[in-house]
Amino acid sequence: MTSEPYLVIGAERPAPWLIACDHATNRIPPSVAGGTLGLSDDEMARHIAYDIGAEGVSRTLADTLNAPAILSRFSRLVIDPNRGEDDPTLIMRVYDGTIVPGNRNLDAAERERRLNTFYRPYHAAYAELAARRRDTIVVAIHSFTPRLFGREPRPWHVGVLFDPRDERLSRPLLTHLHAQSDLVVGENEPYAGHLAGDAIDRHGLIPGRPNVLIELRHDLIETPEQQASWGSRLAGLLEAARIDANL
């Protein structure tokens, strides 16, 4: 396991794509409360700690597209790299009904330490990869739970999240996804498509790079075989969308 707060794969690969997986792992680094936030192994295996299956999909997608990828190496419960620094959900004290003991009494000094140790180095590496060429296309891979505690089941197999200010890639991708007869596709579902200061805002929208965030329901990507299948499938759909968008 790398000691860095991120892992870069294929930095020299030639494709314009950049694959990002902000919530790739449920790892709590040893420097954070001795490697535990006070949650059981069962809780740490839930979606509250990471995006289940997203890392495997991202790796296959990057390999298939011959593109670089950046993966986080710390749990979103340590600090969430897909939030702005001033977002109140940057470090969660309660998530989907679960209290996070190691975050309950977090002080300003520990918050700043986590920013400097994990969050800021991740985004610095992300920015460097994105700036490697002028035509970078940013694709963020996430997964979502089929059902939040006390809520209705989510029907979507895949969601495409985007901001209306830049639909260059998302619209043609949605067209290709809607043409897949076996899929229920969400447009800015199960979440709204943009938060100020989030990773896509920072590395896609603000610099003017084509971008899209893809959410996969995690019961569809739990096994390595499912992850490889979805990674390959998305690669073809994204390439078709890129050609349609003349990117």
Side-chain angles (χ1 to χ4, degrees):
M1 176 68 70
T2 177
S3 61
E4 295 287 344
Y6 58 86
L7 174 65
V8 171
I9 299 169
E12 303 305 318
R13 288 175 176 172
W17 303 99
L18 170 56
I19 311 305
C21 190
D22 300 325
H23 302 145
T25 180
N26 60 358
R27 175 176 178 258
I28 307 297
S31 65
V32 178
T36 176
L37 288 173
L39 295 175
S40 68
D41 290 346
D42 286 345
E43 290 284 14
M44 289 302 300
R46 295 178 61 215
H47 69 97
I48 63 171
Y50 73 126
D51 280 357
I52 295 166
E55 177 173 354
V57 173
S58 298
R59 286 177 177 269
T60 297
L61 180 59
D63 288 347
T64 306
L65 293 173
N66 201 16
I70 183 167
L71 314 174
S72 69
R73 295 289 88 189
F74 55 91
S75 170
R76 74 203 309 169
L77 294 178
V78 172
I79 191 166
D80 192 336
N82 192 37
R83 294 292 183 270
E85 288 197 18
D86 59 351
D87 192 305
T89 65
L90 180 69
I91 300 177
M92 296 290 280
R93 289 169 168 79
V94 181
Y95 198 162
D96 195 21
T98 294
I99 295 172
V100 185
N103 291 343
R104 285 189 72 180
N105 299 311
L106 191 81
D107 61 20
E110 175 61 10
R111 180 183 184 277
E112 188 67 14
R113 190 189 73 81
R114 293 190 196 181
L115 280 165
N116 287 329
T117 305
F118 306 108
Y119 181 99
R120 289 170 181 151
Y122 175 80
H123 281 290
Y126 196 151
E128 183 177 349
L129 277 174
R132 79 199 190 285
R133 53 189 296 163
R134 297 181 65 182
D135 59 347
T136 295
I137 305 168
V138 178
V139 178
I141 299 296
H142 291 254
S143 70
F144 63 95
T145 181
R147 186 173 192 167
L148 287 169
F149 182 74
R151 304 285 185 89
E152 293 298 314
R154 290 162 157 175
W156 310 281
H157 299 111
V158 57
V160 174
L161 276 57
F162 58 93
D163 186 276
R165 290 175 294 171
D166 189 350
E167 301 181 4
R168 285 175 290 174
L169 183 60
S170 56
R171 280 298 164 196
L173 178 60
L174 280 164
T175 297
H176 286 283
L177 282 167
H178 282 306
Q180 308 287 301
S181 62
D182 60 325
L183 297 181
V184 178
V185 180
E187 299 189 18
N188 280 331
E189 298 285 0
Y191 314 108
H194 173 255
L195 288 171
D198 68 11
I200 284 288
D201 188 45
R202 186 168 180 165
H203 302 291
L205 288 166
I206 291 173
R209 298 183 182 110
N211 64 86
V212 69
L213 190 155
I214 299 171
E215 289 271 4
L216 295 165
R217 206 176 69 204
H218 77 224
D219 59 318
L220 304 179
I221 53 170
E222 291 177 332
T223 69
E225 293 77 16
Q226 290 173 317
Q227 294 158 22
S229 176
W230 265 102
S232 297
R233 185 176 190 177
L234 286 175
L237 294 167
L238 283 163
E239 270 295 305
R242 181 187 65 81
I243 291 167
D244 289 352
N246 195 31
L247 295 174

